[in-house]
Amino acid sequence: MSENINLVAPCIFGIESVAADEFKRMGFTSVETQNGRVLLSGDYNMLARANINSRFCERILINMGQFTAVTFTELFDNVRAIEWERYIGKLDAFPVTGSSINSELHSIPDCQKIIKKAVVERLKSKYGVEWFEETGPEYKIKFSIIKNEVTVMIDTSGEGLHKRGYRKNSNDAPLKETLAAAMCDIARIYPDTKLYDPFCGSGTILIEAALMATKTAPGLRRFFAAERFSAIPKKVWQEERMRAQDSIIHNIDFSAQGYDIDENSVELTLANAKKAGVEKYVKAAIGDIKDFSAKEDRFLLITNPPYGERLLDVKAAEELYKIMGNRFIREQNKKYFVINPHDEFEKLFGAVADKRRKLYNGMIKCNYYMYFRNK
């Protein structure tokens, strides 16, 4: 059993509880939600498991230390006191990036320089060298300063966890994979779900739902920065990949059907589904919302229609929402979930949502409108 380490998992605002529940299902026993992130603790196997299996978080970071600092001296001294040598060797690279919100130490470049210098001084004293080549594996140091509370971390993911590896190309306004997965989780995806998306774009919602239905780990096909960390045994990654592979369920009754007026989007959806290994379950065709109808008596529809500030002008988008209200028939076992930033969406759609939830699509504040009761 490897040592217990503290982890930080940043996520989109509004889905912290969704992410926390997922970590509990993974086997984490210490899980705490904060604004825009989840705090965890576990061994190296759990670190690898979080990276491979997390559908909703942006990355997994090792929490190296937390403290209060209002001066650069306090920042330097506290960072220098951290045992960076536990991970970073004398040849390794360790770039520093971060953010500061509502804090005395508000200059990001200055904070970067101070933290870098403090880590260098610490490692110089431990390794007895004056110069660091930084030619080895990269240990990205990230800092977060919120109201003078500093957290310094090492990134174990590398590329953001939303980069599953299946979407090399996308249409003009892609939905982030982590947000699409959260939308699917909130709507409830089962192995026998019949799913529709009449504005499928590059297929993100359909593919994330298919991965969820088959219990396929989203990070199973990609590489993580911490796989190069000398402190983490290689067998940890092998064990966790094997565990994830064994969890996949096959030959389920799930289906996901997408439509889009753009032929290129339809082709992208099918190509991305193939890359994700779920082409068996995901279909797409050219289709206009005016002609939308579902074959099944029981289905789930999850969609991200164009916004006035995105792909269409406001008037055209508003007309679209009215059409949606006419085509989305409210009957038993027909559920509709729509993410949208328009303040008057419900009025245009012609029905007040049974439930709504605030979510962010990039920097755009949206509501997730849920219609699941009979009209």
Side-chain angles (χ1 to χ4, degrees):
M1 178 73 74
S2 61
E3 63 179 299
N4 213 52
I5 46 177
N6 294 323
L7 303 172
V8 179
C11 61
I12 296 165
F13 284 101
I15 66 165
E16 296 90 345
S17 62
V18 172
D21 287 344
E22 178 183 53
F23 286 125
K24 288 172 187 172
R25 291 195 297 271
M26 280 185 213
F28 281 94
T29 53
S30 174
V31 180
E32 179 191 338
T33 57
Q34 294 184 347
N35 279 342
R37 64 187 191 178
V38 182
L39 304 184
L40 312 160
S41 65
D43 61 14
Y44 289 140
N45 271 81
M46 295 306 288
L47 179 154
R49 188 176 303 176
N51 271 297
I52 293 166
N53 291 277
S54 178
R55 299 185 193 279
F56 315 120
C57 286
E58 297 305 309
R59 52 187 67 247
I60 305 298
L61 307 157
I62 298 172
N63 187 348
M64 295 297 290
Q66 260 176 298
F67 52 86
T68 302
V70 294
T71 68
F72 286 126
T73 301
E74 288 176 331
L75 181 64
F76 179 89
D77 290 345
N78 278 286
V79 172
R80 194 184 187 284
I82 292 169
E83 296 177 343
W84 296 100
E85 66 277 5
R86 283 172 55 196
Y87 294 100
I88 303 173
K90 58 184 176 182
L91 296 176
D92 298 335
F94 46 102
V96 178
T97 57
S99 61
S100 178
I101 301 169
N102 299 330
S103 300
E104 293 292 321
L105 303 177
H106 53 79
S107 169
I108 305 296
D110 287 339
C111 290
Q112 283 176 294
K113 287 174 191 170
I114 295 295
I115 291 170
K116 180 78 174 186
K117 185 179 178 184
V119 177
V120 166
E121 291 303 314
R122 170 78 188 199
L123 296 179
K124 276 165 73 170
S125 70
K126 293 298 172 181
Y127 294 130
V129 295
E130 287 299 311
W131 176 257
F132 291 91
E133 294 179 21
E134 299 197 48
T135 54
E138 190 172 68
Y139 292 75
K140 287 183 180 172
I141 296 172
K142 293 188 176 288
F143 66 88
S144 166
I145 310 176
I146 302 173
K147 295 180 180 177
N148 301 320
E149 283 297 310
V150 183
T151 309
V152 280
M153 302 156 284
I154 293 177
D155 178 19
T156 72
S157 300
E159 282 198 305
L161 295 182
H162 70 279
K163 295 195 175 179
R164 322 292 207 203
Y166 65 74
R167 197 173 75 177
K168 301 299 182 193
N169 303 303
S170 63
N171 58 352
D172 291 338
L175 189 72
K176 215 172 190 182
E177 293 88 337
T178 42
L179 177 58
M183 288 163 58
C184 290
D185 188 76
I186 293 165
R188 297 281 180 264
I189 298 294
Y190 297 103
D192 63 347
T193 294
K194 309 303 175 196
L195 177 68
Y196 285 90
D197 181 359
F199 303 98
C200 67
S202 55
T204 311
I205 291 172
L206 304 171
I207 293 165
E208 289 299 321
L211 292 172
M212 198 173 283
T214 55
K215 300 190 185 304
T216 302
L220 197 52
R221 298 182 175 213
R222 56 158 285 180
F223 178 85
F224 302 97
E227 293 188 60
R228 291 197 183 100
F229 290 9
S230 57
I232 302 178
K234 300 288 183 199
K235 68 170 186 175
V236 161
W237 298 96
Q238 293 164 359
E239 288 167 0
E240 291 303 323
R241 281 203 171 89
M242 194 175 297
R243 181 182 182 277
Q245 190 70 47
D246 291 344
S247 298
I248 297 172
I249 55 175
H250 302 276
N251 301 317
I252 57 174
D253 195 27
F254 173 86
S255 69
Q257 176 68 52
Y259 296 102
D260 206 287
I261 57 170
D262 177 42
E263 185 179 356
N264 184 51
S265 292
V266 171
E267 289 173 0
L268 269 177
T269 294
L270 296 172
N272 289 341
K274 190 171 184 180
K275 281 181 199 146
V278 292
E279 70 270 26
K280 177 179 176 180
Y281 303 105
V282 176
K283 308 299 176 194
I286 295 170
D288 194 300
I289 188 63
K290 295 196 299 288
D291 306 315
F292 174 77
S293 66
K295 300 169 190 169
E296 293 84 9
D297 294 327
R298 178 182 63 86
F299 66 84
L300 181 64
L301 184 150
I302 306 174
T303 195
N304 173 38
Y307 310 160
E309 58 201 272
R310 247 185 10 161
L311 299 180
L312 295 175
D313 63 66
V314 176
K315 289 292 179 191
E318 289 176 349
E319 284 304 311
L320 212 55
Y321 307 152
K322 291 175 186 175
I323 295 167
M324 287 165 60
N326 290 326
R327 300 308 301 173
F328 294 179
I329 309 300
R330 304 287 299 283
E331 293 176 350
Q332 190 173 3
N333 296 321
K334 296 178 180 179
K335 301 177 182 179
Y336 305 91
F337 292 75
V338 183
I339 189 169
N340 198 268
H342 200 302
D343 292 334
E344 299 290 316
F345 175 80
E346 288 166 300
K347 186 178 176 183
L348 294 160
F349 185 74
V352 175
D354 298 315
K355 195 175 178 183
R356 68 186 67 78
R357 185 171 183 151
K358 283 186 172 58
L359 294 175
Y360 280 84
N361 185 5
M363 298 304 292
I364 303 171
K365 187 178 179 181
C366 297
N367 271 309
Y368 192 33
Y369 297 101
M370 311 178 206
Y371 297 90
F372 46 81
R373 297 192 181 103
N374 293 349
K375 197 169 181 177

